[in-house]
Amino acid sequence: MADSLVLTGVKHIKKHTGTEMRLARPKRGGDTHKIKEWWHTSSSKQYQACTVFDVTVGIGSCKLVVDSSLSTNLRIDLDGDFNFSFYIMNEVNRAALFNQDFELIEHYVFPKISGGKVMTVIPDGAASRPATS
């Protein structure tokens, strides 16, 4: 299966074509989750307001985290095997794929920072992708 959606702002979903990606609402209330900045390797903890999607493919599940703001506009496509493509990247710099325990699998750096195409970064000691079958 495949899924596609457009994220507008931090919580508005448009043109959603599947069921694999679902917006996760914060348990504490509000519209965004406070997620530790995964792109910093320093020991100091800094948190960023992010939009989180629960992603389920077959028997596997993970979390796609988007560093979003009220003016974000981002199209996300999922190929059915935890591979993501990103388009229309307005007012968004990064995204990341985490397992269910919020251990980083990989992260994506968008053209505003990378200066070209979307860059996928797999850090040392990254968690494994979940199995889909």
Side-chain angles (χ1 to χ4, degrees), residues 21-127:
M21 293 187 286
R22 302 190 63 72
L23 182 65
R25 303 298 295 182
K27 291 179 183 176
R28 63 172 172 70
D31 296 327
T32 58
H33 296 259
K34 294 291 184 184
I35 306 293
K36 184 179 174 207
E37 293 180 341
W38 58 87
W39 58 92
H40 287 283
T41 57
S42 67
S43 60
S44 64
K45 293 182 181 181
Q46 297 179 2
Y47 291 84
Q48 183 67 32
C50 297
T51 300
V52 176
F53 293 94
D54 289 320
V55 183
T56 303
V57 177
I59 63 167
S61 60
C62 62
K63 298 190 179 292
L64 178 67
V65 176
V66 178
D67 174 22
S68 58
S69 69
L70 292 176
S71 54
T72 293
N73 193 21
L74 175 67
R75 183 176 129 204
I76 306 168
D77 290 353
L78 170 66
D79 73 353
D81 198 25
F82 295 112
N83 295 309
F84 297 89
S85 298
F86 303 95
Y87 307 94
I88 322 168
M89 295 159 268
N90 294 326
E91 298 298 325
V92 61
N93 298 325
R94 298 170 160 71
L97 186 63
F98 290 88
N99 66 15
Q100 291 293 66
D101 297 323
F102 276 97
E103 297 170 324
L104 183 62
I105 297 171
E106 63 188 21
H107 63 99
Y108 314 100
V109 182
F110 295 148
K112 186 175 181 181
I113 295 173
S114 70
K117 295 181 180 183
V118 175
M119 181 173 60
T120 301
V121 179
I122 302 172
D124 290 338

